[in-house]
Amino acid sequence: MDVFHKAALLTARIKVLRESGKTVGFVPTMGALHEGHLSLVRTCKQQNDFAVASIFVNPTQFNDANDLRRYPRMPEKDREMLESAGCDLLFMPEEKEVYPEPDTRRFDFGGLDSHMEGKHRPGHFNGVAQVVTRLFDIVCPHKAYFGLKDFQQLAIIKKITADLHYPVEIVSCPIVRESDGLAMSSRNRLLSEEERKQALILSESLFLAKKMKDRHTPQEIRKFVSDRLKAVAGVELEYFEIISGTSLLPVHTWGDKEEIIGCIAARVGKIRLIDNINFSL
Ligand code: PAF
């Protein structure tokens, strides 16, 4: 695996690969890698001649300075894991390589950001759009791979990729869970032993909610999940929404025409976790 710190060198290398007819897949990450990221890299490698990954903790997507400071960083371990998952090229830039000038662009997500993460983390998706478009400009991939755990992020990335006419296919990859059901996340490693147990309330509530679907309305299930989380000391629910997978707006009936997703965000101690479940599968 070749490691690049300079954007121009990576761009030049990928240009040569593309000109020789090779396909290039890309997995952007913020590091602190886990099996979920590695599954993206493996899928990327299966579907392309070359797999490129990036590790960059993007400051513009953090609306909370403490969250940015606390975000886990373990670059050496990450490098080893990427290499063993089959990554060919790794981009590990300094901030000035990604943002030579401060990025003042403002994106319009057509309302996809009006609920959930967009509402609770103002500016977060604008920062994600800034970094993803900058990385696409540098890497020029044929395909890019994102996990469904960040369901709203994925919908927003698909929209900006289409709106800005990037010739990049966005590939959605399934949520990877621990054996007890907790969705894998870089933030899980920040949980204490006690919090790690409490965190299970998120995935367990989603699995129960899905089982209730045939007998209950979305409104009843919202109340059930919200009451369930409120009953646990140390866990603070930020939202549980049952939304259309297309508009990302809350639904009031199940219908049968569109994909329906249950999305949850909660703080366990100081650590903010998200998860979701597809009610339509
Ligand atoms: O999902 C993430 O890890 C980040 O939001 C991403 C897409 C790598 C952009 O920094």
Side-chain angles (χ1 to χ4, degrees):
M1 183 175 73
D2 293 338
V3 180
F4 293 78
H5 299 286
K6 299 284 175 213
L9 295 180
L10 179 65
T11 305
R13 174 71 177 276
I14 290 174
K15 187 164 181 276
V16 172
L17 294 176
R18 289 186 61 124
E19 283 171 359
S20 66
K22 302 294 184 200
T23 56
V24 175
F26 178 43
V27 180
T29 82
M30 297 207 298
L33 303 179
H34 51 70
E35 190 48 40
H37 296 109
L38 300 186
S39 76
L40 300 181
V41 174
R42 288 190 203 104
T43 307
C44 174
K45 183 68 183 166
Q46 277 159 16
Q47 297 185 358
N48 301 275
D49 297 317
F50 282 82
V52 183
S54 62
I55 298 178
F56 178 62
V57 183
N58 171 38
T60 73
Q61 71 187 76
F62 285 82
N63 59 323
D64 173 350
N66 282 328
D67 193 22
L68 172 60
R69 191 178 42 76
R70 268 200 303 260
Y71 201 82
R73 290 161 173 90
M74 35 181 261
E76 283 316 312
K77 180 105 198 301
D78 288 344
R79 276 167 83 139
E80 283 166 26
M81 289 168 81
L82 285 170
E83 179 137 41
S84 62
C87 179
D88 299 294
L89 309 180
L90 169 60
F91 184 41
M92 291 177 88
E94 295 284 331
E95 191 177 335
K96 67 176 186 330
E97 287 296 311
V98 178
Y99 300 118
E101 306 290 335
D103 193 336
T104 54
R105 291 173 299 159
R106 289 287 166 269
F107 293 82
D108 177 1
F109 304 121
L112 290 181
D113 57 336
S114 63
H115 282 64
M116 307 190 294
E117 297 300 287
K119 189 165 158 190
H120 287 263
R121 301 180 70 189
H124 167 66
F125 285 127
N126 201 70
V128 170
Q130 288 175 340
V131 76
V132 168
T133 51
R134 277 294 294 138
L135 291 170
F136 282 0
D137 291 339
I138 294 166
V139 176
C140 299
H142 293 94
K143 296 185 181 190
Y145 296 77
F146 296 88
L148 274 161
K149 183 168 82 69
D150 296 290
F151 189 86
Q152 192 173 19
Q153 166 172 284
L154 190 46
I156 282 174
I157 289 172
K158 281 186 184 158
K159 176 165 172 59
I160 54 167
T161 304
D163 286 358
L164 301 176
H165 307 291
Y166 276 95
V168 181
E169 183 189 333
I170 304 299
V171 183
S172 324
C173 299
I175 299 177
V176 179
R177 297 185 180 279
E178 303 285 355
S179 56
D180 60 5
L182 182 69
M184 288 199 185
S185 163
S186 303
R187 289 187 161 90
N188 291 353
R189 69 183 80 237
L190 300 174
L191 298 167
S192 68
E193 209 176 310
E194 182 57 25
E195 289 166 346
R196 171 65 182 76
K197 286 184 201 143
Q198 290 179 316
L200 273 185
I201 185 100
L202 276 82
S203 52
E204 283 174 1
S205 301
L206 293 177
F207 300 150
L208 281 172
K210 185 163 173 169
K211 281 196 184 137
M212 292 167 69
K213 182 190 166 205
D214 292 340
R215 288 165 291 114
H216 294 273
T217 64
Q219 192 46 34
E220 285 165 347
I221 295 184
R222 275 189 199 103
K223 182 167 176 346
F224 167 80
V225 171
S226 138
D227 289 349
R228 203 164 180 269
L229 268 89
K230 277 184 195 145
V232 183
V235 175
E236 193 192 327
L237 179 67
E238 273 195 6
Y239 62 78
F240 171 64
E241 299 278 10
I242 299 180
I243 55 151
S244 147
T246 317
S247 70
L248 308 196
L249 295 175
V251 296
H252 304 288
T253 55
W254 293 113
D256 52 10
K257 289 196 187 60
E258 59 180 353
E259 196 176 42
I260 292 182
I261 315 292
C263 297
I264 194 166
R267 282 183 194 275
V268 179
K270 288 194 170 59
I271 309 306
R272 189 173 185 280
L273 300 176
I274 62 172
D275 196 355
N276 67 75
I277 200 156
N278 189 328
F279 282 102
S280 312
L281 293 178

